[in-house]
Amino acid sequence: MAWTQQEVRELKEGRYMIIDEEPCRILSIQMSKPGKHGEAKARIDAVGVFDGSKRSVVFPVKHKVQVPMIGKKQAQVLSLTNTEVQLMDLETYETFSMPIAEEVKGQLTPGTEIQYVDAMGKRRITKA
C-alpha cells in the first residue's frame, strides 16, 4: 500500500495528501467555522509533487483523505544521455533510469550524489 488515511483536521502545511490520484504537497489550509446545520470545512491548496500543477479542494474536517507514503532517498549518477539519467540507489543498490527534468538539466555529472523522492511508483530528482 502506497498511502495511509488521515482526517482533514490532522493535516498540516508542508505535509502531503493525494488529490486526483496525484501526491501533492499542502501549501495552505483554511478552516471555516461550523454552520447552523453543518460541520466545519477546510479549504486546502496544494501543488503536485510530480506534475507541479496547483489544486484546491474543500472537505469537511472529519473527512478522511489519503496521505501518500513519500520516501526521500539518495542515489548516485551512473551515466547520462541527452534525455535520461541512470541512477543507483545508495541504500538498496538498485539501478534505474529516469528522464532528466528541466530544473536539473546541466547539473548532473556521473559519480555525483543526488536526492530523489519516491511515491506511488513514481520518482523525481529533487536536489542535484
Side-chain angles (χ1 to χ4, degrees):
M1 183 159 59
W3 52 270
T4 62
Q5 278 195 332
Q6 212 170 3
E7 282 190 12
V8 170
R9 62 188 164 98
E10 299 169 337
L11 297 174
K12 292 184 172 50
E13 291 178 13
R15 298 258 178 96
Y16 299 90
M17 71 180 287
I18 298 174
I19 303 173
D20 301 331
E21 302 295 320
E22 181 72 27
C24 298
R25 189 170 58 83
I26 298 170
L27 299 175
S28 67
I29 301 174
Q30 291 96 28
M31 300 280 190
S32 67
K33 293 182 179 171
K36 188 174 180 181
H37 299 290
E39 57 182 307
K41 294 200 172 31
R43 176 188 165 89
I44 302 168
D45 294 318
V47 64
V49 173
F50 297 107
D51 63 5
S53 64
K54 291 192 175 187
R55 295 172 169 86
S56 294
V57 290
V58 177
F59 288 121
V61 292
K62 291 184 181 172
H63 184 77
K64 290 199 182 285
V65 293
Q66 296 174 341
V67 177
M69 306 296 262
I70 296 203
K72 293 182 178 161
K73 301 179 178 184
Q74 297 278 100
Q76 182 178 8
V77 178
L78 296 177
S79 65
L80 289 165
T81 66
N82 289 340
T83 56
E84 273 197 348
V85 59
Q86 187 177 22
L87 301 168
M88 177 181 68
D89 187 292
L90 292 175
E91 202 172 293
T92 63
Y93 302 110
E94 170 196 5
T95 59
F96 55 92
S97 294
M98 58 194 294
I100 300 174
E102 284 298 317
E103 62 263 17
V104 294
K105 243 183 191 156
Q107 300 176 29
L108 302 173
T109 53
T112 58
E113 291 183 13
I114 56 103
Q115 234 179 26
Y116 73 98
V117 289
D118 184 10
M120 299 175 64
K122 298 179 185 175
R123 295 178 173 135
R124 188 180 130 237
I125 296 173
T126 54
K127 284 186 185 162

